[in-house]
PDB file of all heavy atoms in Angstrom:
ATOM      1  N   PHE A1135     163.314 268.538 125.488  1.00 98.00           N
ATOM      2  CA  PHE A1135     162.645 269.792 125.831  1.00 98.00           C
ATOM      3  C   PHE A1135     163.691 270.863 126.188  1.00 98.00           C
ATOM      4  O   PHE A1135     163.562 272.044 125.806  1.00 98.00           O
ATOM      5  CB  PHE A1135     161.721 269.619 127.018  1.00 98.00           C
ATOM      6  CG  PHE A1135     160.413 268.934 126.560  1.00 98.00           C
ATOM      7  CD1 PHE A1135     160.001 267.742 127.107  1.00 98.00           C
ATOM      8  CD2 PHE A1135     159.584 269.446 125.596  1.00 98.00           C
ATOM      9  CE1 PHE A1135     158.844 267.165 126.847  1.00 98.00           C
ATOM     10  CE2 PHE A1135     158.418 268.821 125.141  1.00 98.00           C
ATOM     11  CZ  PHE A1135     157.952 267.715 125.793  1.00 98.00           C
ATOM     12  N   ILE A1138     165.483 272.052 122.943  1.00 98.00           N
ATOM     13  CA  ILE A1138     164.621 272.919 122.204  1.00 98.00           C
ATOM     14  C   ILE A1138     164.625 274.351 122.938  1.00 98.00           C
ATOM     15  O   ILE A1138     164.628 275.389 122.276  1.00 98.00           O
ATOM     16  CB  ILE A1138     163.269 272.467 121.956  1.00 98.00           C
ATOM     17  CG1 ILE A1138     163.385 271.185 121.105  1.00 98.00           C
ATOM     18  CG2 ILE A1138     162.352 273.490 121.363  1.00 98.00           C
ATOM     19  CD1 ILE A1138     161.956 270.359 121.010  1.00 98.00           C
ATOM     20  N   TYR A1143     163.853 275.125 117.614  1.00 97.00           N
ATOM     21  CA  TYR A1143     163.760 273.968 116.762  1.00 97.00           C
ATOM     22  C   TYR A1143     164.878 273.830 115.708  1.00 97.00           C
ATOM     23  O   TYR A1143     165.168 272.720 115.306  1.00 97.00           O
ATOM     24  CB  TYR A1143     162.353 274.044 116.029  1.00 97.00           C
ATOM     25  CG  TYR A1143     161.218 273.731 116.990  1.00 97.00           C
ATOM     26  CD1 TYR A1143     160.393 274.697 117.405  1.00 97.00           C
ATOM     27  CD2 TYR A1143     161.096 272.409 117.346  1.00 97.00           C
ATOM     28  CE1 TYR A1143     159.340 274.442 118.191  1.00 97.00           C
ATOM     29  CE2 TYR A1143     159.982 272.066 118.215  1.00 97.00           C
ATOM     30  CZ  TYR A1143     159.100 273.146 118.614  1.00 97.00           C
ATOM     31  OH  TYR A1143     157.983 272.798 119.428  1.00 97.00           O
ATOM     32  N   LEU A1163     160.648 268.956 115.607  1.00 97.00           N
ATOM     33  CA  LEU A1163     159.245 269.434 115.462  1.00 97.00           C
ATOM     34  C   LEU A1163     158.273 268.445 116.060  1.00 97.00           C
ATOM     35  O   LEU A1163     157.058 268.732 116.194  1.00 97.00           O
ATOM     36  CB  LEU A1163     158.834 269.609 113.978  1.00 97.00           C
ATOM     37  CG  LEU A1163     159.705 270.726 113.279  1.00 97.00           C
ATOM     38  CD1 LEU A1163     159.370 270.772 111.761  1.00 97.00           C
ATOM     39  CD2 LEU A1163     159.529 272.007 113.971  1.00 97.00           C
ATOM     40  N   PHE A1165     158.043 267.601 119.013  1.00 98.00           N
ATOM     41  CA  PHE A1165     157.876 267.950 120.383  1.00 98.00           C
ATOM     42  C   PHE A1165     157.134 269.318 120.351  1.00 98.00           C
ATOM     43  O   PHE A1165     157.611 270.302 119.738  1.00 98.00           O
ATOM     44  CB  PHE A1165     159.154 268.069 121.138  1.00 98.00           C
ATOM     45  CG  PHE A1165     159.886 266.762 121.328  1.00 98.00           C
ATOM     46  CD1 PHE A1165     160.720 266.258 120.453  1.00 98.00           C
ATOM     47  CD2 PHE A1165     159.509 265.982 122.454  1.00 98.00           C
ATOM     48  CE1 PHE A1165     161.326 265.030 120.449  1.00 98.00           C
ATOM     49  CE2 PHE A1165     160.142 264.725 122.581  1.00 98.00           C
ATOM     50  CZ  PHE A1165     161.085 264.279 121.631  1.00 98.00           C
ATOM     51  N   PHE A1166     156.111 269.310 121.017  1.00 98.00           N
ATOM     52  CA  PHE A1166     155.159 270.622 121.055  1.00 98.00           C
ATOM     53  C   PHE A1166     155.910 271.760 121.718  1.00 98.00           C
ATOM     54  O   PHE A1166     156.685 271.486 122.728  1.00 98.00           O
ATOM     55  CB  PHE A1166     153.819 270.365 121.712  1.00 98.00           C
ATOM     56  CG  PHE A1166     152.879 269.734 120.762  1.00 98.00           C
ATOM     57  CD1 PHE A1166     153.151 268.592 120.009  1.00 98.00           C
ATOM     58  CD2 PHE A1166     151.544 270.339 120.603  1.00 98.00           C
ATOM     59  CE1 PHE A1166     152.212 268.093 119.144  1.00 98.00           C
ATOM     60  CE2 PHE A1166     150.646 269.794 119.712  1.00 98.00           C
ATOM     61  CZ  PHE A1166     150.950 268.693 118.920  1.00 98.00           C
ATOM     62  N   PRO A1167     155.645 273.049 121.432  1.00 98.00           N
ATOM     63  CA  PRO A1167     156.482 274.119 121.919  1.00 98.00           C
ATOM     64  C   PRO A1167     156.115 274.798 123.265  1.00 98.00           C
ATOM     65  O   PRO A1167     156.928 275.591 123.786  1.00 98.00           O
ATOM     66  CB  PRO A1167     156.149 275.129 120.774  1.00 98.00           C
ATOM     67  CG  PRO A1167     154.821 274.889 120.372  1.00 98.00           C
ATOM     68  CD  PRO A1167     154.627 273.445 120.402  1.00 98.00           C
ATOM     69  N   GLY A1168     154.960 274.533 123.737  1.00 98.00           N
ATOM     70  CA  GLY A1168     154.504 275.274 124.963  1.00 98.00           C
ATOM     71  C   GLY A1168     155.460 275.180 126.067  1.00 98.00           C
ATOM     72  O   GLY A1168     155.874 276.252 126.659  1.00 98.00           O
ATOM     73  N   TYR A1169     155.926 274.032 126.468  1.00 98.00           N
ATOM     74  CA  TYR A1169     156.740 273.878 127.662  1.00 98.00           C
ATOM     75  C   TYR A1169     158.125 274.382 127.344  1.00 98.00           C
ATOM     76  O   TYR A1169     158.649 275.282 128.134  1.00 98.00           O
ATOM     77  CB  TYR A1169     156.833 272.341 128.125  1.00 98.00           C
ATOM     78  CG  TYR A1169     157.652 272.082 129.186  1.00 98.00           C
ATOM     79  CD1 TYR A1169     157.312 272.416 130.517  1.00 98.00           C
ATOM     80  CD2 TYR A1169     158.829 271.403 129.023  1.00 98.00           C
ATOM     81  CE1 TYR A1169     158.093 272.123 131.591  1.00 98.00           C
ATOM     82  CE2 TYR A1169     159.725 271.106 130.162  1.00 98.00           C
ATOM     83  CZ  TYR A1169     159.310 271.459 131.403  1.00 98.00           C
ATOM     84  OH  TYR A1169     160.054 271.166 132.454  1.00 98.00           O
ATOM     85  N   PRO A1170     158.872 273.994 126.295  1.00 98.00           N
ATOM     86  CA  PRO A1170     160.270 274.418 126.136  1.00 98.00           C
ATOM     87  C   PRO A1170     160.347 276.002 125.896  1.00 98.00           C
ATOM     88  O   PRO A1170     161.222 276.561 126.281  1.00 98.00           O
ATOM     89  CB  PRO A1170     160.749 273.726 124.889  1.00 98.00           C
ATOM     90  CG  PRO A1170     159.549 273.245 124.199  1.00 98.00           C
ATOM     91  CD  PRO A1170     158.444 272.956 125.384  1.00 98.00           C
ATOM     92  N   MET A1171     159.349 276.541 125.163  1.00 97.00           N
ATOM     93  CA  MET A1171     159.299 278.027 125.028  1.00 97.00           C
ATOM     94  C   MET A1171     159.209 278.825 126.328  1.00 97.00           C
ATOM     95  O   MET A1171     159.788 279.870 126.513  1.00 97.00           O
ATOM     96  CB  MET A1171     158.280 278.432 124.017  1.00 97.00           C
ATOM     97  CG  MET A1171     158.535 277.922 122.572  1.00 97.00           C
ATOM     98  SD  MET A1171     160.183 278.462 121.878  1.00 97.00           S
ATOM     99  CE  MET A1171     161.227 276.989 122.143  1.00 97.00           C
ATOM    100  N   LEU A1172     158.239 278.258 127.194  1.00 97.00           N
ATOM    101  CA  LEU A1172     158.174 278.970 128.475  1.00 97.00           C
ATOM    102  C   LEU A1172     159.338 278.797 129.332  1.00 97.00           C
ATOM    103  O   LEU A1172     159.839 279.746 130.034  1.00 97.00           O
ATOM    104  CB  LEU A1172     156.959 278.395 129.318  1.00 97.00           C
ATOM    105  CG  LEU A1172     156.524 279.021 130.515  1.00 97.00           C
ATOM    106  CD1 LEU A1172     156.212 280.560 130.206  1.00 97.00           C
ATOM    107  CD2 LEU A1172     155.283 278.321 131.121  1.00 97.00           C
ATOM    108  N   VAL A1173     160.027 277.653 129.246  1.00 96.00           N
ATOM    109  CA  VAL A1173     161.341 277.390 129.967  1.00 96.00           C
ATOM    110  C   VAL A1173     162.394 278.410 129.414  1.00 96.00           C
ATOM    111  O   VAL A1173     163.116 279.052 130.256  1.00 96.00           O
ATOM    112  CB  VAL A1173     161.837 275.972 129.728  1.00 96.00           C
ATOM    113  CG1 VAL A1173     163.329 275.850 130.301  1.00 96.00           C
ATOM    114  CG2 VAL A1173     161.042 274.961 130.492  1.00 96.00           C
ATOM    115  N   MET A1246     152.338 270.700 132.974  1.00 98.00           N
ATOM    116  CA  MET A1246     151.798 271.828 132.289  1.00 98.00           C
ATOM    117  C   MET A1246     150.526 271.462 131.539  1.00 98.00           C
ATOM    118  O   MET A1246     149.504 272.243 131.645  1.00 98.00           O
ATOM    119  CB  MET A1246     152.851 272.428 131.310  1.00 98.00           C
ATOM    120  CG  MET A1246     152.424 273.756 130.694  1.00 98.00           C
ATOM    121  SD  MET A1246     153.794 274.396 129.602  1.00 98.00           S
ATOM    122  CE  MET A1246     153.172 276.001 129.232  1.00 98.00           C
ATOM    123  N   GLY A1274     146.544 272.931 123.707  1.00 98.00           N
ATOM    124  CA  GLY A1274     146.990 272.427 122.380  1.00 98.00           C
ATOM    125  C   GLY A1274     148.416 272.819 121.983  1.00 98.00           C
ATOM    126  O   GLY A1274     148.932 272.125 121.014  1.00 98.00           O
ATOM    127  N   PHE A1275     149.002 273.763 122.631  1.00 97.00           N
ATOM    128  CA  PHE A1275     150.435 274.126 122.411  1.00 97.00           C
ATOM    129  C   PHE A1275     151.409 273.267 123.145  1.00 97.00           C
ATOM    130  O   PHE A1275     152.587 273.315 122.818  1.00 97.00           O
ATOM    131  CB  PHE A1275     150.671 275.612 122.836  1.00 97.00           C
ATOM    132  CG  PHE A1275     150.219 276.617 121.816  1.00 97.00           C
ATOM    133  CD1 PHE A1275     149.196 277.557 122.159  1.00 97.00           C
ATOM    134  CD2 PHE A1275     150.855 276.727 120.591  1.00 97.00           C
ATOM    135  CE1 PHE A1275     148.823 278.532 121.305  1.00 97.00           C
ATOM    136  CE2 PHE A1275     150.451 277.628 119.718  1.00 97.00           C
ATOM    137  CZ  PHE A1275     149.416 278.568 120.029  1.00 97.00           C
ATOM    138  N   VAL A1276     150.867 272.399 124.028  1.00 98.00           N
ATOM    139  CA  VAL A1276     151.729 271.729 124.965  1.00 98.00           C
ATOM    140  C   VAL A1276     151.961 270.310 124.672  1.00 98.00           C
ATOM    141  O   VAL A1276     153.085 269.733 124.749  1.00 98.00           O
ATOM    142  CB  VAL A1276     151.247 271.803 126.434  1.00 98.00           C
ATOM    143  CG1 VAL A1276     152.099 271.140 127.386  1.00 98.00           C
ATOM    144  CG2 VAL A1276     151.041 273.266 126.798  1.00 98.00           C
ATOM    145  N   ARG A1277     150.897 269.567 124.260  1.00 98.00           N
ATOM    146  CA  ARG A1277     150.979 268.134 124.049  1.00 98.00           C
ATOM    147  C   ARG A1277     149.960 267.692 123.029  1.00 98.00           C
ATOM    148  O   ARG A1277     148.874 268.267 122.993  1.00 98.00           O
ATOM    149  CB  ARG A1277     150.807 267.234 125.312  1.00 98.00           C
ATOM    150  CG  ARG A1277     151.946 267.448 126.372  1.00 98.00           C
ATOM    151  CD  ARG A1277     151.783 266.229 127.337  1.00 98.00           C
ATOM    152  NE  ARG A1277     152.011 264.956 126.799  1.00 98.00           N
ATOM    153  CZ  ARG A1277     153.299 264.546 126.532  1.00 98.00           C
ATOM    154  NH1 ARG A1277     154.370 265.239 126.665  1.00 98.00           N
ATOM    155  NH2 ARG A1277     153.358 263.339 125.968  1.00 98.00           N
ATOM    156  N   GLY A1314     145.510 276.516 119.617  1.00 97.00           N
ATOM    157  CA  GLY A1314     146.867 276.122 119.841  1.00 97.00           C
ATOM    158  C   GLY A1314     147.213 274.856 119.034  1.00 97.00           C
ATOM    159  O   GLY A1314     148.155 274.805 118.348  1.00 97.00           O
ATOM    160  N   TYR A1318     149.836 274.831 115.772  1.00 98.00           N
ATOM    161  CA  TYR A1318     151.126 274.123 115.778  1.00 98.00           C
ATOM    162  C   TYR A1318     151.145 273.094 114.690  1.00 98.00           C
ATOM    163  O   TYR A1318     152.145 272.979 113.961  1.00 98.00           O
ATOM    164  CB  TYR A1318     151.441 273.526 117.119  1.00 98.00           C
ATOM    165  CG  TYR A1318     152.874 272.855 117.116  1.00 98.00           C
ATOM    166  CD1 TYR A1318     153.936 273.676 116.960  1.00 98.00           C
ATOM    167  CD2 TYR A1318     152.966 271.519 117.150  1.00 98.00           C
ATOM    168  CE1 TYR A1318     155.202 273.143 116.826  1.00 98.00           C
ATOM    169  CE2 TYR A1318     154.256 270.979 117.196  1.00 98.00           C
ATOM    170  CZ  TYR A1318     155.350 271.822 117.021  1.00 98.00           C
ATOM    171  OH  TYR A1318     156.581 271.237 116.866  1.00 98.00           O
ATOM    172  N   TRP A1321     151.621 274.797 111.525  1.00 98.00           N
ATOM    173  CA  TRP A1321     153.036 275.251 111.342  1.00 98.00           C
ATOM    174  C   TRP A1321     153.999 274.126 110.936  1.00 98.00           C
ATOM    175  O   TRP A1321     154.805 274.222 110.007  1.00 98.00           O
ATOM    176  CB  TRP A1321     153.608 275.899 112.500  1.00 98.00           C
ATOM    177  CG  TRP A1321     154.915 276.430 112.509  1.00 98.00           C
ATOM    178  CD1 TRP A1321     155.270 277.612 111.709  1.00 98.00           C
ATOM    179  CD2 TRP A1321     156.098 276.067 113.131  1.00 98.00           C
ATOM    180  NE1 TRP A1321     156.615 277.879 111.912  1.00 98.00           N
ATOM    181  CE2 TRP A1321     157.143 276.984 112.716  1.00 98.00           C
ATOM    182  CE3 TRP A1321     156.330 274.969 113.974  1.00 98.00           C
ATOM    183  CZ2 TRP A1321     158.529 276.818 113.270  1.00 98.00           C
ATOM    184  CZ3 TRP A1321     157.648 274.830 114.434  1.00 98.00           C
ATOM    185  CH2 TRP A1321     158.642 275.667 114.074  1.00 98.00           C
ATOM    186  N   VAL A1322     153.827 272.913 111.563  1.00 98.00           N
ATOM    187  CA  VAL A1322     154.668 271.755 111.240  1.00 98.00           C
ATOM    188  C   VAL A1322     154.379 271.338 109.814  1.00 98.00           C
ATOM    189  O   VAL A1322     155.246 270.969 109.044  1.00 98.00           O
ATOM    190  CB  VAL A1322     154.419 270.616 112.251  1.00 98.00           C
ATOM    191  CG1 VAL A1322     155.138 269.353 111.798  1.00 98.00           C
ATOM    192  CG2 VAL A1322     154.845 271.017 113.626  1.00 98.00           C
TER     193      VAL A1322
END
Side-chain angles (χ1 to χ4, degrees):
F1135 286 124
I1138 294 169
Y1143 285 107
L1163 300 176
F1165 296 88
F1166 275 54
Y1169 180 74
M1171 293 301 101
L1172 190 56
V1173 169
M1246 187 177 187
F1275 279 116
V1276 182
R1277 292 195 63 80
Y1318 185 65
W1321 183 70
V1322 174

